[in-house]
Amino acid sequence: MELVKVVFLRHGESEWNKLNLFCGWHDVDLSEKGKSDASTISAATLQQHDLKFDIAFTSALKRAHQSLEIVLNALECSKIPIHSTWRLNERHYGDLTGLNKRQMAEKYGEKKVQIWRRSFNVPPPVMDASCPYYEPIRNNPKFVDIPAEEFPDTETLESVMHRVVPYWESEITKEIKNRKRVLVLAHGTIIRAIVKHIEGISDEKISTINIPNSIPCVYNFDISTMKPVGPMEFLAEESYLQDQLRKTASIGN
């Protein structure tokens, strides 16, 4: 059995993560903490485990790009090929975009907001032209090549998988088969979508899977079967990992 490690990494804290806002396709920067964590947690952990990369995949959003630049520079991998695609964008949070998660929980109830956040196929309300973030998202030049019929106004994990899984199968797995050391630096929902696909996790159980910012997670893939051997491994000290998982699962303050 020949194994190849594949690393998944959620970007560092963004300015809207810091403010506890639904972000989705709105293109925000990393916070100062996010920049620091990309260096002192993400890159430092990868260095500790002697992980370097031949190729990287990321979204079209700058919080992912900023994290990737910091990590690759620290690992002295800045010259590797980088594939950026909207198909690895975070899920579109529809009309929740820009709204505070705690305030929405107070308005609609925690159960409803958690269904919007973590369920497999219940979408948030659709974003229409009255939303202040509609035009900035629709007119983002990074998204100019998205077919009109594929441009979302809200998404579920299920609909995200319709754009992520084909890209995983057609573009990313071929690099793994070629024994490339692959880094996928993207977003929480994107990594959850790939994890659900490769592990065959049920629609119900996937709601319990959380991906914290900045902590690398690793799979060992069997080249002959292109199946992971064992579960995903988070590269973090256990108490810190559990604290970050709780934080990610929470609606926040």
Side-chain angles (χ1 to χ4, degrees):
M1 181 186 299
E2 182 179 358
L3 301 181
V4 173
K5 290 186 183 297
V6 180
V7 176
F8 295 88
L9 180 61
R10 182 183 174 192
H11 62 81
E13 179 192 76
S14 72
E15 289 289 353
W16 276 22
N17 289 147
K18 181 175 70 175
L19 297 173
N20 200 27
L21 306 180
F22 287 100
C23 192
W25 280 40
H26 188 59
D27 204 9
V28 300
D29 290 295
L30 290 181
S31 67
E32 288 305 313
K33 181 180 186 303
K35 295 174 185 176
S36 175
D37 286 352
S39 175
T40 61
I41 297 176
S42 303
T45 301
L46 293 167
Q47 288 173 319
Q48 178 185 350
H49 289 266
D50 196 28
L51 290 167
K52 291 195 174 185
F53 304 100
D54 301 308
I55 191 167
F57 295 87
T58 192
S59 78
L61 298 166
K62 59 186 175 183
R63 57 193 186 270
H65 280 254
Q66 290 165 350
S67 298
L68 183 61
E69 181 179 11
I70 292 168
V71 167
L72 293 184
N73 283 339
L75 298 178
E76 299 182 346
C77 292
S78 60
K79 302 299 185 183
I80 68 171
I82 296 171
H83 295 270
S84 174
T85 173
W86 68 272
R87 296 187 183 279
L88 297 180
N89 280 7
E90 178 58 289
R91 70 178 285 198
H92 195 302
Y93 271 102
D95 210 38
L96 296 178
T97 303
L99 299 178
N100 182 276
K101 296 173 188 175
R102 173 49 52 193
Q103 292 175 357
M104 291 300 97
E106 291 170 357
K107 181 176 181 179
Y108 295 105
E110 292 211 10
K111 182 177 180 180
K112 182 67 172 179
V113 171
Q114 289 292 53
I115 288 172
W116 282 334
R117 293 182 70 220
R118 288 292 181 265
S119 72
F120 180 61
N121 57 10
V122 179
V126 170
M127 177 186 285
D128 62 27
S130 66
C131 177
Y133 303 104
Y134 182 88
E135 291 297 333
I137 291 173
R138 282 280 172 168
N139 294 327
N140 188 330
K142 298 175 183 178
F143 306 155
V144 67
D145 293 330
I146 301 176
E149 67 276 10
E150 296 187 55
F151 206 117
D153 290 317
T154 188
E155 287 183 301
T156 63
L157 177 58
E158 181 179 34
S159 58
V160 164
M161 291 184 72
H162 292 320
R163 60 175 165 89
V164 172
V165 172
Y167 187 80
W168 164 262
E169 294 288 353
S170 66
E171 302 300 325
I172 302 178
T173 60
K174 71 181 181 183
E175 302 298 343
I176 302 170
K177 290 175 183 176
N178 287 332
R179 298 169 176 79
K180 297 290 181 66
R181 297 171 296 178
V182 172
L183 171 62
V184 180
L185 198 158
H187 307 267
T189 307
I190 300 309
I191 299 173
R192 289 174 69 234
I194 297 173
V195 167
K196 185 181 191 307
H197 172 66
I198 64 179
E199 290 196 29
I201 296 172
S202 71
D203 298 353
E204 293 74 28
K205 186 179 178 182
I206 193 61
S207 66
T208 68
I209 304 298
N210 292 287
I211 307 296
N213 294 96
S214 303
I215 297 177
C217 40
V218 179
Y219 278 106
N220 289 299
F221 274 87
D222 179 354
I223 289 291
S224 64
T225 64
M226 280 309 298
K227 299 289 186 183
V229 177
M232 177 175 61
E233 177 188 5
F234 287 103
L235 303 183
E237 190 273 326
E238 187 63 23
S239 63
Y240 177 75
L241 171 61
Q242 293 305 320
D243 180 67
Q244 294 303 302
L245 288 170
R246 284 190 294 269
K247 179 181 175 182
T248 304
S250 170
I251 291 174
N253 300 318

